[in-house]
Amino acid sequence: MRGLTAALFFVLAGYSNGAVPDFQLQKIGNGIWAAIVNDEGLSGGNAGFVIGDDGVLVIDTFQDPQPARAMLAEIRKLTPLPIRFVVNTHYHLDHVNGNDVFAAAGATIVAHRNVRAWMRTENIKMLDPPVTPEKKARVESLTLPTVVHDSRLELYLGSRRINVRYYPGHTGGDSVVSIPDAHVVFCGDMLWKEHIPNLIDASTKAWVESLDAMQKDYGPSTWVPGHGGVANAQDVLTFRKYLADLRAGVRREQAAGKSGDALVQALLPGLKSSYGKWGFFSDYAALDIEQTAQEMLGTKRLPPNPER
Ligand SMILES: [Zn+2]
């Protein structure tokens, strides 16, 4: 399955309103499926699952329990094996809000230690306005991971090994999930394909270094990003270039004495000419400049490290 990025076949799934599917399932390896979301639907971030010898492992659970239930139903069409694990790649709401659906189906939820620490608190800032008491209550009762790791973990579905590995960059609590026997890697939001990333919790310096490490660690695999379609190693380089361009631009304009809105306006047209066709440009490009400027000045607020 090495390097196989073209669709083997598609299944349309997860209709919430009858018009647009919330996600599409794409088979990317033996028993391995990527759930690629529609940006206009309820799902939020990409997810996926791996069917092993004696059970199923799910990677991320969407932004809403409804598409999570739809993905569970799709899994049930493919296999009667139990759902053993969910791995949350990070704490952001668009990757964890269906955890309860899979926990109720019997799954153990696994994540980096910081995901458990941040899920019910830091996600308040991820809510779309207006922040109603109902939305807040939902975040404050999200289903937490019950197994946490600090750097790496191996999970087995019978003889099938799944590697879970921490990389810094997007939040400071991100896990990348790889299936070595199929050369498939689920990156969560450590990788975005043709989408401008949300840098609200990011450390872009560490992130660029992590992408280099991930290239070494996974190379010519099938790469599943947190947002955008199934990717390859070239897409990882393209995404790395976005972060590197952003950092170089901010550094240059700060050296020229620019800050605040003047700095944003100095860089936005250049970013637009290179990346204006990417998804979420109007949502995140200006914010990315501001947040990277804060990072470089050492004034950026990051989620607090939990007590050990
Ligand atoms: Zn994220």
Side-chain angles (χ1 to χ4, degrees):
M1 307 307 280
R2 178 174 284 261
L4 180 62
T5 54
L8 292 176
F9 55 102
F10 283 95
V11 178
L12 295 182
Y15 287 82
S16 61
N17 58 15
V20 185
D22 286 326
F23 61 87
Q24 290 183 322
L25 284 183
Q26 187 172 340
K27 188 172 184 184
I28 55 171
N30 179 25
I32 307 177
W33 298 74
I36 303 298
V37 311
N38 180 332
D39 291 341
E40 313 307 318
L42 289 176
S43 296
N46 292 339
F49 55 89
V50 180
I51 303 172
D53 301 328
D54 63 355
V56 180
L57 177 145
V58 171
I59 299 116
D60 284 342
T61 64
F62 296 138
Q63 187 164 252
D64 188 282
Q66 187 172 312
R69 283 191 290 271
M71 185 163 75
L72 179 58
E74 293 300 319
I75 295 170
R76 284 287 160 257
K77 288 181 199 167
L78 292 164
T79 177
L81 291 172
I83 316 287
R84 291 208 185 280
F85 304 105
V86 167
V87 179
N88 288 146
T89 59
H90 63 299
Y91 85 84
H92 284 161
L93 192 61
D94 55 335
H95 296 259
V96 304
N97 202 1
N99 276 4
D100 51 348
V101 170
F102 293 96
T108 297
I109 300 178
V110 177
H112 186 270
R113 179 185 300 277
N114 292 352
V115 174
R116 185 175 164 101
W118 296 337
M119 193 182 282
R120 290 179 173 174
T121 50
E122 293 291 326
N123 265 324
I124 301 291
K125 70 176 187 279
M126 307 301 285
L127 289 169
D128 289 327
V131 178
T132 60
E134 290 75 19
K135 287 186 192 171
K136 242 185 124 187
R138 174 73 189 172
V139 165
E140 287 167 351
S141 63
L142 284 168
T143 300
L144 297 172
T146 55
V147 174
V148 300
H149 73 95
D150 284 316
S151 64
R152 59 198 304 160
L153 186 69
E154 292 177 13
L155 298 168
Y156 288 85
L157 299 171
S159 64
R160 191 158 220 189
R161 175 163 58 96
I162 291 148
N163 289 342
V164 179
R165 214 172 147 186
Y166 165 74
Y167 294 87
H170 176 56
T171 63
D174 291 69
S175 293
V176 163
V177 179
S178 64
I179 305 95
D181 71 40
H183 302 286
V184 166
V185 54
F186 286 86
C187 300
D189 282 359
M190 286 300 294
L191 177 64
W192 300 56
K193 181 180 176 184
E194 292 164 6
H195 282 66
I196 301 292
N198 183 344
L199 301 186
I200 192 166
D201 297 319
S203 302
T204 57
K205 183 173 190 292
W207 198 336
V208 169
E209 291 163 5
S210 287
L211 289 168
D212 291 340
M214 288 160 63
Q215 283 277 14
K216 276 205 197 87
D217 293 341
Y218 309 112
S221 297
T222 298
W223 300 70
V224 182
H227 299 269
V230 174
N232 58 34
Q234 179 59 46
D235 295 314
V236 183
L237 288 177
T238 303
F239 178 64
R240 183 197 189 282
K241 186 172 187 306
Y242 171 81
L243 293 178
D245 285 353
L246 181 65
R247 289 178 55 78
V250 168
R251 192 182 298 113
R252 187 182 66 237
E253 297 302 330
Q254 284 182 334
K258 288 215 172 68
S259 64
D261 196 49
L263 191 152
V264 172
Q265 294 315 320
L267 291 178
L268 203 52
L271 276 189
K272 185 153 195 170
S273 71
S274 298
Y275 304 103
K277 289 203 173 74
W278 285 13
F280 305 156
F281 188 89
S282 58
D283 300 281
Y284 294 136
L287 281 172
D288 281 7
I289 297 168
E290 281 175 35
Q291 289 164 349
T292 303
Q294 289 166 9
E295 178 188 340
M296 290 183 154
L297 292 172
T299 60
K300 188 173 184 187
R301 188 252 175 209
L302 294 174
N305 273 328
E307 284 176 29
R308 296 292 166 101

